[in-house]
Amino acid sequence: MIKFEPGSHQYSLISMLSVVGEIPTASLNLMGNTRTLSDLVRRLNKRHKVVGEDGQSIDNCRIIKVIGKGDKRRLRLHRTGLDLLSWLGIKEYYMSAFQNNKFSGAQGHIERNFRNAEATLMLAKAGVEFRPQYLPELQCEVRLNQVLEGAAFYPARLIKTLQSSDDTYKKLAYTRFVGMLIAYDDFYAIYNFRNEWKVSAFNGEDKAKQAIQLTAGLNYKIKPNASAIVIGDDFDVAREILLRSHLDRRKKIRITSVYNHLYYIPKTEFGIRMLRFFCIPDFTKKIKEALYEKKHLYEKEDGFEYDIFKDGKFYLSILDGNIGRMERYWNFLHEHKCAGKVICYPEQEQMVRSYFGKKIEIHKVDISKIEEILDVDRRGLFDEE
């Protein structure tokens, strides 16, 4: 017998599958202990009696199935487990989003689902609500000015299916964003590059940015300009983003030309710790004010790209993960022939060094110090239930 109730691993896994459709088995570590979850998968792949928290039950139920091989191996809900979605209040959404539990085997579709699943796993672990039944429904007709006390993630499929009087949302079919994060009065387009830089052009992402700004502005009381969070397997992907952006001046292939503020998050436990910062209002400002004296902080009166001026050096902090500023900072140092220093985490050091070279100084700060400053809650979404 399997108990299906909030707080259990099976409840968390089915809640995730109900929204993302399928999960790559190689990414289960983003949800918790790999060994524990692997054992759970083997158990849920067999038939059991499932009992809910209100006493309802389903006999002879195989909840999930495992399909594919190698890097395509993935989890899906088994047809006999679909009734559990009614217990969660999300069956109608699931059947509409995933064509009555029918999935394409095409490589492009699998890759897209994997990108979405990994981003959602990380955001949930960071405490972000992603379940449609617990979020205000998106609309594109009137300005609601809702105030969100916390953080919410809307997958791209919900935004792409909105119907407006113009063709704003019709242009999103081939855009690459996986969703939109609303955090208090900030909002971000979410991308997942996984382990490669394969994108040849980003001119289509202008349309994604416009649609996200429109959607967020109509539904929530937010700041006017969208930023982007890019997830990748490691900091080598971030380095590739920066180097390609620096070497190729054709704006249409540079994501940094679409989003002035581009935050990079590695697909690791460290990356999840960084994502938790986005659930805290004005976290970037709080970090700077806690680490440095007010007299050294730069208020951007002259439009230059740096954070602190101290001891004759211009400092740039990327403790918030904002690598989009690094190119502008590099140009500023070269133009004014001045000394610079970058404040980063030890995990970011190699990326920073490979981009700026040996001439730049680096000051490292451990992420645990920032977590202490921000009083970060390290519980995941399902840890709270």
Side-chain angles (χ1 to χ4, degrees):
M1 183 180 74
I2 291 179
K3 291 185 178 181
F4 187 75
E5 54 190 8
S8 65
H9 289 300
Q10 50 267 26
Y11 184 92
S12 303
L13 181 59
I14 304 314
S15 295
M16 183 62 65
L17 282 169
S18 72
V19 176
V20 302
E22 54 186 4
I23 299 173
T25 57
S27 299
L28 283 174
N29 64 300
L30 299 175
M31 195 170 185
N33 183 275
T34 303
R35 184 172 181 177
T36 299
L37 289 169
S38 296
D39 290 342
L40 177 66
V41 167
R42 284 191 287 270
R43 190 179 179 205
L44 298 184
N45 200 21
K46 298 177 181 178
R47 294 184 181 273
H48 298 273
K49 180 178 181 178
V50 182
V51 179
E53 59 179 330
D54 296 327
Q56 68 270 55
S57 64
I58 303 174
D59 294 322
N60 200 29
C61 178
R62 179 185 170 191
I63 299 179
I64 64 171
K65 59 182 178 180
V66 182
I67 62 172
K69 297 180 180 180
D71 59 0
K72 295 182 182 179
R73 195 166 184 263
R74 56 203 186 274
L75 308 181
R76 289 182 190 165
L77 286 173
H78 190 268
R79 57 181 176 79
T80 60
L82 294 179
D83 285 342
L84 296 177
L85 301 182
S86 298
W87 298 0
L88 293 172
I90 197 173
K91 187 171 183 178
E92 183 178 349
Y93 167 86
Y94 178 89
M95 299 301 276
S96 173
F98 302 109
Q99 301 178 341
N100 295 319
N101 203 36
K102 296 177 182 178
F103 294 81
S104 170
Q107 177 62 30
H109 288 273
I110 295 172
E111 179 75 11
R112 182 185 61 196
N113 288 340
F114 281 12
R115 291 176 187 273
N116 179 52
E118 290 168 348
T120 309
L121 284 166
M122 292 185 68
L123 288 164
K125 193 67 174 175
V128 177
E129 182 59 78
F130 67 94
R131 296 166 293 182
Q133 67 269 39
Y134 296 117
L135 294 175
E137 185 176 352
L138 293 178
Q139 55 83 44
C140 57
E141 297 176 354
V142 296
R143 191 171 297 277
L144 299 179
N145 283 327
Q146 299 175 99
V147 177
L148 183 66
E149 295 295 332
F153 175 67
Y154 290 94
R157 65 169 55 89
L158 281 180
I159 300 170
K160 291 179 179 181
T161 55
L162 290 173
Q163 302 290 329
S164 63
S165 57
D166 56 20
D167 58 354
T168 298
Y169 298 103
K170 294 179 181 178
K171 296 177 179 179
L172 301 181
Y174 299 103
T175 53
R176 301 175 179 91
F177 77 107
V178 298
M180 172 180 70
L181 173 66
I182 306 288
Y184 294 91
D185 58 352
D186 288 308
F187 64 109
Y188 309 85
I190 305 293
Y191 292 84
N192 181 6
F193 287 175
R194 304 197 81 205
N195 62 349
E196 292 183 276
W197 178 272
K198 296 190 293 186
V199 179
S200 59
F202 275 97
N203 49 324
E205 299 311 312
D206 276 323
K207 302 180 181 69
K209 180 181 178 181
Q210 293 167 11
I212 289 170
Q213 289 182 162
L214 173 65
T215 306
L218 287 175
N219 289 275
Y220 290 99
K221 187 175 181 179
I222 45 87
K223 295 173 183 175
N225 294 316
S227 302
I229 296 174
V230 171
I231 296 170
D233 278 9
D234 49 42
F235 281 109
D236 287 341
V237 178
R239 181 178 60 197
E240 192 70 13
I241 292 172
L242 291 168
L243 291 176
R244 285 178 179 266
S245 178
H246 184 75
L247 295 174
D248 199 319
R249 296 301 175 182
R250 293 171 295 171
K251 287 189 176 182
K252 72 175 184 177
I253 75 165
R254 295 163 51 201
I255 192 170
T256 52
S257 70
V258 180
Y259 300 98
N260 285 332
H261 296 284
L262 187 73
Y263 300 84
Y264 185 82
I265 304 294
K267 198 175 64 181
T268 60
E269 176 60 31
F270 173 78
I272 293 171
R273 294 171 73 178
M274 290 183 68
L275 274 177
R276 292 191 179 104
F277 299 163
F278 292 86
C279 299
I280 299 170
D282 298 320
F283 71 95
T284 297
K285 181 180 179 181
K286 290 176 181 176
I287 292 172
K288 294 175 186 176
E289 291 179 346
L291 289 178
Y292 300 97
E293 296 179 54
K294 188 174 182 179
K295 65 180 180 180
H296 296 308
L297 294 177
Y298 168 54
E299 301 297 336
K300 296 189 182 297
E301 294 177 357
D302 52 11
F304 295 137
E305 195 70 67
Y306 64 92
D307 296 307
I308 300 158
F309 181 73
K310 183 181 178 182
D311 300 329
K313 295 178 182 177
F314 295 88
Y315 288 60
L316 176 74
S317 169
I318 59 168
L319 297 175
D320 57 0
N322 191 348
I323 67 169
R325 303 175 62 210
M326 290 172 64
E327 182 180 1
R328 299 190 294 274
Y329 177 66
W330 178 246
N331 292 336
F332 165 73
L333 294 182
H334 272 267
E335 181 180 349
H336 295 275
K337 301 186 186 310
C338 49
K341 193 170 186 177
V342 175
I343 308 163
C344 67
Y345 301 113
E347 291 83 355
Q348 297 172 320
E349 181 181 9
Q350 186 176 357
M351 172 196 68
V352 172
R353 182 62 70 199
S354 65
Y355 183 70
F356 289 112
K358 296 181 179 180
K359 294 181 179 180
I360 201 82
E361 289 187 47
I362 295 177
H363 174 66
K364 292 175 285 186
V365 177
D366 192 271
I367 193 171
S368 60
K369 183 174 183 178
I370 306 304
E371 289 173 329
E372 184 180 349
I373 289 170
L374 298 175
D375 192 22
V376 172
D377 185 348
R378 297 194 64 175
R379 293 177 297 173
L381 178 66
F382 295 111
D383 296 333
E384 300 174 5
E385 297 182 334

